[in-house]
Amino acid sequence: MDNRINEIRKIIRALRVSMREAEAIMHEQINRDEDCTFVAEEVMKMRTVMSGLVQERAALGDTDPIVVASLFVPRRRPAPPRIGVEKRRLVPPSLVPPREVARA
């Protein structure tokens, strides 16, 4: 039974990595305004397989979390901090009528 649990855990790890790669490819295709139906169908198939494996794993009594190393790569560099930059106004102050103060 432990061999089957270990086998399922290995397959789930591999599926997670494959799903992340496929989703990244799909997002790139979407950003380029290309057809991504094939990749999306493959991701859905992987999710179906994953669901079955998770159910089988739960039936065997395995509740330990499965950790997969994160392969996250930022898509662009973070923006530099905006130090000393004034807030821009949509309308120049000279065109804005003065506000009236509420009187009690």
PDB file of all heavy atoms in Angstrom, residues 9-38:
ATOM      1  N   ARG A   9       1.963   9.915  -5.177  1.00  0.00           N
ATOM      2  CA  ARG A   9       2.581  11.188  -4.831  1.00  0.00           C
ATOM      3  C   ARG A   9       3.547  11.648  -5.929  1.00  0.00           C
ATOM      4  O   ARG A   9       3.589  12.836  -6.275  1.00  0.00           O
ATOM      5  CB  ARG A   9       3.299  11.088  -3.485  1.00  0.00           C
ATOM      6  CG  ARG A   9       2.328  10.918  -2.323  1.00  0.00           C
ATOM      7  CD  ARG A   9       3.049  10.592  -1.034  1.00  0.00           C
ATOM      8  NE  ARG A   9       3.805  11.719  -0.511  1.00  0.00           N
ATOM      9  CZ  ARG A   9       3.299  12.684   0.242  1.00  0.00           C
ATOM     10  NH1 ARG A   9       2.016  12.629   0.572  1.00  0.00           N
ATOM     11  NH2 ARG A   9       4.046  13.654   0.677  1.00  0.00           N
ATOM     12  N   LYS A  10       4.315  10.737  -6.491  1.00  0.00           N
ATOM     13  CA  LYS A  10       5.251  11.085  -7.578  1.00  0.00           C
ATOM     14  C   LYS A  10       4.489  11.564  -8.810  1.00  0.00           C
ATOM     15  O   LYS A  10       4.871  12.543  -9.457  1.00  0.00           O
ATOM     16  CB  LYS A  10       6.123   9.882  -7.941  1.00  0.00           C
ATOM     17  CG  LYS A  10       7.206   9.600  -6.949  1.00  0.00           C
ATOM     18  CD  LYS A  10       8.020   8.391  -7.376  1.00  0.00           C
ATOM     19  CE  LYS A  10       8.997   7.983  -6.299  1.00  0.00           C
ATOM     20  NZ  LYS A  10       9.752   6.775  -6.685  1.00  0.00           N
ATOM     21  N   ILE A  11       3.410  10.869  -9.133  1.00  0.00           N
ATOM     22  CA  ILE A  11       2.615  11.240 -10.305  1.00  0.00           C
ATOM     23  C   ILE A  11       1.983  12.616 -10.090  1.00  0.00           C
ATOM     24  O   ILE A  11       1.968  13.459 -10.995  1.00  0.00           O
ATOM     25  CB  ILE A  11       1.537  10.169 -10.598  1.00  0.00           C
ATOM     26  CG1 ILE A  11       2.196   8.852 -11.000  1.00  0.00           C
ATOM     27  CG2 ILE A  11       0.596  10.643 -11.696  1.00  0.00           C
ATOM     28  CD1 ILE A  11       1.241   7.675 -11.073  1.00  0.00           C
ATOM     29  N   ILE A  12       1.475  12.874  -8.879  1.00  0.00           N
ATOM     30  CA  ILE A  12       0.862  14.170  -8.575  1.00  0.00           C
ATOM     31  C   ILE A  12       1.896  15.284  -8.691  1.00  0.00           C
ATOM     32  O   ILE A  12       1.626  16.345  -9.257  1.00  0.00           O
ATOM     33  CB  ILE A  12       0.191  14.150  -7.181  1.00  0.00           C
ATOM     34  CG1 ILE A  12      -1.074  13.291  -7.224  1.00  0.00           C
ATOM     35  CG2 ILE A  12      -0.125  15.561  -6.709  1.00  0.00           C
ATOM     36  CD1 ILE A  12      -1.748  13.087  -5.884  1.00  0.00           C
ATOM     37  N   ARG A  13       3.108  15.056  -8.165  1.00  0.00           N
ATOM     38  CA  ARG A  13       4.169  16.068  -8.287  1.00  0.00           C
ATOM     39  C   ARG A  13       4.455  16.377  -9.749  1.00  0.00           C
ATOM     40  O   ARG A  13       4.550  17.539 -10.150  1.00  0.00           O
ATOM     41  CB  ARG A  13       5.447  15.579  -7.609  1.00  0.00           C
ATOM     42  CG  ARG A  13       5.533  15.938  -6.180  1.00  0.00           C
ATOM     43  CD  ARG A  13       6.948  15.681  -5.642  1.00  0.00           C
ATOM     44  NE  ARG A  13       6.847  15.248  -4.277  1.00  0.00           N
ATOM     45  CZ  ARG A  13       6.918  13.991  -3.855  1.00  0.00           C
ATOM     46  NH1 ARG A  13       7.145  13.017  -4.707  1.00  0.00           N
ATOM     47  NH2 ARG A  13       6.779  13.700  -2.587  1.00  0.00           N
ATOM     48  N   ALA A  14       4.610  15.329 -10.545  1.00  0.00           N
ATOM     49  CA  ALA A  14       4.907  15.520 -11.968  1.00  0.00           C
ATOM     50  C   ALA A  14       3.756  16.230 -12.679  1.00  0.00           C
ATOM     51  O   ALA A  14       3.979  17.105 -13.525  1.00  0.00           O
ATOM     52  CB  ALA A  14       5.183  14.171 -12.623  1.00  0.00           C
ATOM     53  N   LEU A  15       2.520  15.871 -12.328  1.00  0.00           N
ATOM     54  CA  LEU A  15       1.359  16.518 -12.936  1.00  0.00           C
ATOM     55  C   LEU A  15       1.298  18.002 -12.576  1.00  0.00           C
ATOM     56  O   LEU A  15       0.974  18.831 -13.423  1.00  0.00           O
ATOM     57  CB  LEU A  15       0.068  15.839 -12.461  1.00  0.00           C
ATOM     58  CG  LEU A  15      -0.511  14.770 -13.368  1.00  0.00           C
ATOM     59  CD1 LEU A  15      -1.713  14.122 -12.708  1.00  0.00           C
ATOM     60  CD2 LEU A  15      -0.877  15.311 -14.710  1.00  0.00           C
ATOM     61  N   ARG A  16       1.606  18.332 -11.339  1.00  0.00           N
ATOM     62  CA  ARG A  16       1.591  19.740 -10.929  1.00  0.00           C
ATOM     63  C   ARG A  16       2.586  20.559 -11.746  1.00  0.00           C
ATOM     64  O   ARG A  16       2.277  21.662 -12.191  1.00  0.00           O
ATOM     65  CB  ARG A  16       1.917  19.875  -9.445  1.00  0.00           C
ATOM     66  CG  ARG A  16       0.776  19.564  -8.547  1.00  0.00           C
ATOM     67  CD  ARG A  16       1.178  19.845  -7.122  1.00  0.00           C
ATOM     68  NE  ARG A  16       0.064  19.665  -6.208  1.00  0.00           N
ATOM     69  CZ  ARG A  16       0.189  19.722  -4.897  1.00  0.00           C
ATOM     70  NH1 ARG A  16       1.357  19.955  -4.348  1.00  0.00           N
ATOM     71  NH2 ARG A  16      -0.857  19.555  -4.130  1.00  0.00           N
ATOM     72  N   VAL A  17       3.787  20.018 -11.913  1.00  0.00           N
ATOM     73  CA  VAL A  17       4.803  20.729 -12.691  1.00  0.00           C
ATOM     74  C   VAL A  17       4.345  20.870 -14.138  1.00  0.00           C
ATOM     75  O   VAL A  17       4.445  21.952 -14.733  1.00  0.00           O
ATOM     76  CB  VAL A  17       6.161  19.997 -12.600  1.00  0.00           C
ATOM     77  CG1 VAL A  17       7.164  20.589 -13.568  1.00  0.00           C
ATOM     78  CG2 VAL A  17       6.697  20.056 -11.178  1.00  0.00           C
ATOM     79  N   SER A  18       3.813  19.806 -14.698  1.00  0.00           N
ATOM     80  CA  SER A  18       3.333  19.846 -16.083  1.00  0.00           C
ATOM     81  C   SER A  18       2.192  20.845 -16.242  1.00  0.00           C
ATOM     82  O   SER A  18       2.120  21.575 -17.234  1.00  0.00           O
ATOM     83  CB  SER A  18       2.863  18.467 -16.535  1.00  0.00           C
ATOM     84  OG  SER A  18       3.929  17.558 -16.521  1.00  0.00           O
ATOM     85  N   MET A  19       1.298  20.878 -15.256  1.00  0.00           N
ATOM     86  CA  MET A  19       0.171  21.808 -15.322  1.00  0.00           C
ATOM     87  C   MET A  19       0.656  23.254 -15.258  1.00  0.00           C
ATOM     88  O   MET A  19       0.160  24.109 -15.990  1.00  0.00           O
ATOM     89  CB  MET A  19      -0.821  21.529 -14.193  1.00  0.00           C
ATOM     90  CG  MET A  19      -1.638  20.270 -14.413  1.00  0.00           C
ATOM     91  SD  MET A  19      -2.639  19.809 -13.002  1.00  0.00           S
ATOM     92  CE  MET A  19      -3.818  21.129 -12.959  1.00  0.00           C
ATOM     93  N   ARG A  20       1.637  23.524 -14.401  1.00  0.00           N
ATOM     94  CA  ARG A  20       2.174  24.884 -14.328  1.00  0.00           C
ATOM     95  C   ARG A  20       2.808  25.291 -15.645  1.00  0.00           C
ATOM     96  O   ARG A  20       2.631  26.419 -16.101  1.00  0.00           O
ATOM     97  CB  ARG A  20       3.202  24.989 -13.209  1.00  0.00           C
ATOM     98  CG  ARG A  20       2.590  25.064 -11.845  1.00  0.00           C
ATOM     99  CD  ARG A  20       3.656  25.328 -10.822  1.00  0.00           C
ATOM    100  NE  ARG A  20       3.053  25.488  -9.504  1.00  0.00           N
ATOM    101  CZ  ARG A  20       3.755  25.657  -8.406  1.00  0.00           C
ATOM    102  NH1 ARG A  20       5.062  25.691  -8.462  1.00  0.00           N
ATOM    103  NH2 ARG A  20       3.144  25.803  -7.259  1.00  0.00           N
ATOM    104  N   GLU A  21       3.563  24.388 -16.238  1.00  0.00           N
ATOM    105  CA  GLU A  21       4.205  24.701 -17.523  1.00  0.00           C
ATOM    106  C   GLU A  21       3.154  24.937 -18.605  1.00  0.00           C
ATOM    107  O   GLU A  21       3.257  25.887 -19.384  1.00  0.00           O
ATOM    108  CB  GLU A  21       5.145  23.572 -17.933  1.00  0.00           C
ATOM    109  CG  GLU A  21       6.380  23.464 -17.063  1.00  0.00           C
ATOM    110  CD  GLU A  21       7.193  22.214 -17.343  1.00  0.00           C
ATOM    111  OE1 GLU A  21       6.741  21.361 -18.150  1.00  0.00           O
ATOM    112  OE2 GLU A  21       8.273  22.088 -16.761  1.00  0.00           O
ATOM    113  N   ALA A  22       2.134  24.082 -18.636  1.00  0.00           N
ATOM    114  CA  ALA A  22       1.080  24.232 -19.642  1.00  0.00           C
ATOM    115  C   ALA A  22       0.304  25.533 -19.427  1.00  0.00           C
ATOM    116  O   ALA A  22      -0.044  26.226 -20.402  1.00  0.00           O
ATOM    117  CB  ALA A  22       0.127  23.033 -19.592  1.00  0.00           C
ATOM    118  N   GLU A  23       0.037  25.875 -18.181  1.00  0.00           N
ATOM    119  CA  GLU A  23      -0.681  27.125 -17.909  1.00  0.00           C
ATOM    120  C   GLU A  23       0.150  28.334 -18.301  1.00  0.00           C
ATOM    121  O   GLU A  23      -0.376  29.318 -18.810  1.00  0.00           O
ATOM    122  CB  GLU A  23      -1.082  27.189 -16.441  1.00  0.00           C
ATOM    123  CG  GLU A  23      -2.216  26.243 -16.106  1.00  0.00           C
ATOM    124  CD  GLU A  23      -2.493  26.127 -14.618  1.00  0.00           C
ATOM    125  OE1 GLU A  23      -1.729  26.708 -13.813  1.00  0.00           O
ATOM    126  OE2 GLU A  23      -3.462  25.453 -14.261  1.00  0.00           O
ATOM    127  N   ALA A  24       1.470  28.264 -18.093  1.00  0.00           N
ATOM    128  CA  ALA A  24       2.344  29.365 -18.510  1.00  0.00           C
ATOM    129  C   ALA A  24       2.323  29.518 -20.027  1.00  0.00           C
ATOM    130  O   ALA A  24       2.245  30.636 -20.552  1.00  0.00           O
ATOM    131  CB  ALA A  24       3.762  29.130 -18.011  1.00  0.00           C
ATOM    132  N   ILE A  25       2.360  28.392 -20.741  1.00  0.00           N
ATOM    133  CA  ILE A  25       2.295  28.428 -22.210  1.00  0.00           C
ATOM    134  C   ILE A  25       0.960  29.004 -22.652  1.00  0.00           C
ATOM    135  O   ILE A  25       0.891  29.838 -23.565  1.00  0.00           O
ATOM    136  CB  ILE A  25       2.505  27.006 -22.785  1.00  0.00           C
ATOM    137  CG1 ILE A  25       3.948  26.567 -22.564  1.00  0.00           C
ATOM    138  CG2 ILE A  25       2.138  26.958 -24.260  1.00  0.00           C
ATOM    139  CD1 ILE A  25       4.188  25.097 -22.860  1.00  0.00           C
ATOM    140  N   MET A  26      -0.105  28.584 -21.986  1.00  0.00           N
ATOM    141  CA  MET A  26      -1.440  29.074 -22.330  1.00  0.00           C
ATOM    142  C   MET A  26      -1.538  30.591 -22.119  1.00  0.00           C
ATOM    143  O   MET A  26      -2.075  31.307 -22.967  1.00  0.00           O
ATOM    144  CB  MET A  26      -2.492  28.348 -21.487  1.00  0.00           C
ATOM    145  CG  MET A  26      -3.919  28.687 -21.849  1.00  0.00           C
ATOM    146  SD  MET A  26      -5.124  27.650 -20.993  1.00  0.00           S
ATOM    147  CE  MET A  26      -4.825  28.081 -19.295  1.00  0.00           C
ATOM    148  N   HIS A  27      -0.985  31.094 -21.006  1.00  0.00           N
ATOM    149  CA  HIS A  27      -1.022  32.533 -20.750  1.00  0.00           C
ATOM    150  C   HIS A  27      -0.210  33.303 -21.791  1.00  0.00           C
ATOM    151  O   HIS A  27      -0.612  34.386 -22.228  1.00  0.00           O
ATOM    152  CB  HIS A  27      -0.517  32.849 -19.346  1.00  0.00           C
ATOM    153  CG  HIS A  27      -1.501  32.503 -18.275  1.00  0.00           C
ATOM    154  ND1 HIS A  27      -2.672  33.184 -18.097  1.00  0.00           N
ATOM    155  CD2 HIS A  27      -1.498  31.517 -17.343  1.00  0.00           C
ATOM    156  CE1 HIS A  27      -3.347  32.648 -17.091  1.00  0.00           C
ATOM    157  NE2 HIS A  27      -2.660  31.629 -16.630  1.00  0.00           N
ATOM    158  N   GLU A  28       0.916  32.738 -22.212  1.00  0.00           N
ATOM    159  CA  GLU A  28       1.705  33.383 -23.271  1.00  0.00           C
ATOM    160  C   GLU A  28       0.913  33.442 -24.566  1.00  0.00           C
ATOM    161  O   GLU A  28       0.936  34.446 -25.274  1.00  0.00           O
ATOM    162  CB  GLU A  28       3.017  32.642 -23.482  1.00  0.00           C
ATOM    163  CG  GLU A  28       4.010  32.828 -22.352  1.00  0.00           C
ATOM    164  CD  GLU A  28       5.233  31.948 -22.518  1.00  0.00           C
ATOM    165  OE1 GLU A  28       5.365  31.275 -23.561  1.00  0.00           O
ATOM    166  OE2 GLU A  28       6.069  31.944 -21.597  1.00  0.00           O
ATOM    167  N   GLN A  29       0.220  32.351 -24.887  1.00  0.00           N
ATOM    168  CA  GLN A  29      -0.594  32.331 -26.101  1.00  0.00           C
ATOM    169  C   GLN A  29      -1.722  33.350 -26.007  1.00  0.00           C
ATOM    170  O   GLN A  29      -2.034  34.035 -26.983  1.00  0.00           O
ATOM    171  CB  GLN A  29      -1.162  30.930 -26.340  1.00  0.00           C
ATOM    172  CG  GLN A  29      -0.125  29.936 -26.786  1.00  0.00           C
ATOM    173  CD  GLN A  29      -0.706  28.542 -26.946  1.00  0.00           C
ATOM    174  OE1 GLN A  29      -1.741  28.213 -26.370  1.00  0.00           O
ATOM    175  NE2 GLN A  29      -0.025  27.719 -27.723  1.00  0.00           N
ATOM    176  N   ILE A  30      -2.329  33.470 -24.850  1.00  0.00           N
ATOM    177  CA  ILE A  30      -3.402  34.445 -24.663  1.00  0.00           C
ATOM    178  C   ILE A  30      -2.854  35.854 -24.839  1.00  0.00           C
ATOM    179  O   ILE A  30      -3.469  36.697 -25.501  1.00  0.00           O
ATOM    180  CB  ILE A  30      -4.065  34.271 -23.283  1.00  0.00           C
ATOM    181  CG1 ILE A  30      -4.865  32.965 -23.248  1.00  0.00           C
ATOM    182  CG2 ILE A  30      -4.970  35.456 -22.944  1.00  0.00           C
ATOM    183  CD1 ILE A  30      -5.346  32.570 -21.882  1.00  0.00           C
ATOM    184  N   ASN A  31      -1.686  36.117 -24.256  1.00  0.00           N
ATOM    185  CA  ASN A  31      -1.091  37.452 -24.373  1.00  0.00           C
ATOM    186  C   ASN A  31      -0.743  37.798 -25.818  1.00  0.00           C
ATOM    187  O   ASN A  31      -0.747  38.967 -26.192  1.00  0.00           O
ATOM    188  CB  ASN A  31       0.149  37.561 -23.498  1.00  0.00           C
ATOM    189  CG  ASN A  31      -0.188  37.594 -22.034  1.00  0.00           C
ATOM    190  OD1 ASN A  31      -1.310  37.937 -21.653  1.00  0.00           O
ATOM    191  ND2 ASN A  31       0.757  37.224 -21.195  1.00  0.00           N
ATOM    192  N   ARG A  32      -0.426  36.776 -26.629  1.00  0.00           N
ATOM    193  CA  ARG A  32      -0.113  37.022 -28.045  1.00  0.00           C
ATOM    194  C   ARG A  32      -1.365  36.944 -28.911  1.00  0.00           C
ATOM    195  O   ARG A  32      -1.276  37.000 -30.135  1.00  0.00           O
ATOM    196  CB  ARG A  32       0.912  36.001 -28.533  1.00  0.00           C
ATOM    197  CG  ARG A  32       2.296  36.189 -27.953  1.00  0.00           C
ATOM    198  CD  ARG A  32       3.289  35.282 -28.628  1.00  0.00           C
ATOM    199  NE  ARG A  32       2.903  33.886 -28.558  1.00  0.00           N
ATOM    200  CZ  ARG A  32       3.545  32.954 -27.854  1.00  0.00           C
ATOM    201  NH1 ARG A  32       4.605  33.269 -27.161  1.00  0.00           N
ATOM    202  NH2 ARG A  32       3.145  31.710 -27.858  1.00  0.00           N
ATOM    203  N   ASP A  33      -2.521  36.775 -28.259  1.00  0.00           N
ATOM    204  CA  ASP A  33      -3.805  36.685 -28.943  1.00  0.00           C
ATOM    205  C   ASP A  33      -3.841  35.505 -29.917  1.00  0.00           C
ATOM    206  O   ASP A  33      -4.343  35.605 -31.025  1.00  0.00           O
ATOM    207  CB  ASP A  33      -4.133  38.001 -29.664  1.00  0.00           C
ATOM    208  CG  ASP A  33      -5.624  38.138 -29.944  1.00  0.00           C
ATOM    209  OD1 ASP A  33      -6.406  37.526 -29.192  1.00  0.00           O
ATOM    210  OD2 ASP A  33      -5.985  38.816 -30.914  1.00  0.00           O
ATOM    211  N   GLU A  34      -3.290  34.370 -29.457  1.00  0.00           N
ATOM    212  CA  GLU A  34      -3.293  33.143 -30.255  1.00  0.00           C
ATOM    213  C   GLU A  34      -4.331  32.170 -29.695  1.00  0.00           C
ATOM    214  O   GLU A  34      -4.811  32.320 -28.568  1.00  0.00           O
ATOM    215  CB  GLU A  34      -1.911  32.487 -30.218  1.00  0.00           C
ATOM    216  CG  GLU A  34      -0.815  33.309 -30.853  1.00  0.00           C
ATOM    217  CD  GLU A  34       0.541  32.653 -30.714  1.00  0.00           C
ATOM    218  OE1 GLU A  34       0.650  31.604 -30.043  1.00  0.00           O
ATOM    219  OE2 GLU A  34       1.512  33.203 -31.272  1.00  0.00           O
ATOM    220  N   ASP A  35      -4.644  31.144 -30.483  1.00  0.00           N
ATOM    221  CA  ASP A  35      -5.593  30.123 -30.068  1.00  0.00           C
ATOM    222  C   ASP A  35      -4.925  29.201 -29.050  1.00  0.00           C
ATOM    223  O   ASP A  35      -3.844  28.663 -29.304  1.00  0.00           O
ATOM    224  CB  ASP A  35      -6.053  29.328 -31.290  1.00  0.00           C
ATOM    225  CG  ASP A  35      -7.088  28.280 -30.935  1.00  0.00           C
ATOM    226  OD1 ASP A  35      -7.816  28.483 -29.943  1.00  0.00           O
ATOM    227  OD2 ASP A  35      -7.163  27.268 -31.657  1.00  0.00           O
ATOM    228  N   CYS A  36      -5.531  29.020 -27.897  1.00  0.00           N
ATOM    229  CA  CYS A  36      -4.936  28.188 -26.849  1.00  0.00           C
ATOM    230  C   CYS A  36      -5.851  27.025 -26.463  1.00  0.00           C
ATOM    231  O   CYS A  36      -5.704  26.463 -25.387  1.00  0.00           O
ATOM    232  CB  CYS A  36      -4.609  29.042 -25.629  1.00  0.00           C
ATOM    233  SG  CYS A  36      -6.058  29.771 -24.867  1.00  0.00           S
ATOM    234  N   THR A  37      -6.766  26.648 -27.337  1.00  0.00           N
ATOM    235  CA  THR A  37      -7.730  25.606 -26.973  1.00  0.00           C
ATOM    236  C   THR A  37      -7.050  24.257 -26.743  1.00  0.00           C
ATOM    237  O   THR A  37      -7.441  23.528 -25.833  1.00  0.00           O
ATOM    238  CB  THR A  37      -8.806  25.451 -28.055  1.00  0.00           C
ATOM    239  OG1 THR A  37      -8.183  25.226 -29.317  1.00  0.00           O
ATOM    240  CG2 THR A  37      -9.684  26.668 -28.123  1.00  0.00           C
ATOM    241  N   PHE A  38      -6.034  23.925 -27.537  1.00  0.00           N
ATOM    242  CA  PHE A  38      -5.370  22.629 -27.375  1.00  0.00           C
ATOM    243  C   PHE A  38      -4.730  22.530 -25.995  1.00  0.00           C
ATOM    244  O   PHE A  38      -4.910  21.548 -25.275  1.00  0.00           O
ATOM    245  CB  PHE A  38      -4.317  22.414 -28.469  1.00  0.00           C
ATOM    246  CG  PHE A  38      -3.552  21.131 -28.301  1.00  0.00           C
ATOM    247  CD1 PHE A  38      -4.136  19.926 -28.620  1.00  0.00           C
ATOM    248  CD2 PHE A  38      -2.264  21.137 -27.794  1.00  0.00           C
ATOM    249  CE1 PHE A  38      -3.438  18.735 -28.446  1.00  0.00           C
ATOM    250  CE2 PHE A  38      -1.561  19.966 -27.615  1.00  0.00           C
ATOM    251  CZ  PHE A  38      -2.150  18.757 -27.941  1.00  0.00           C
TER     252      PHE A  38
END
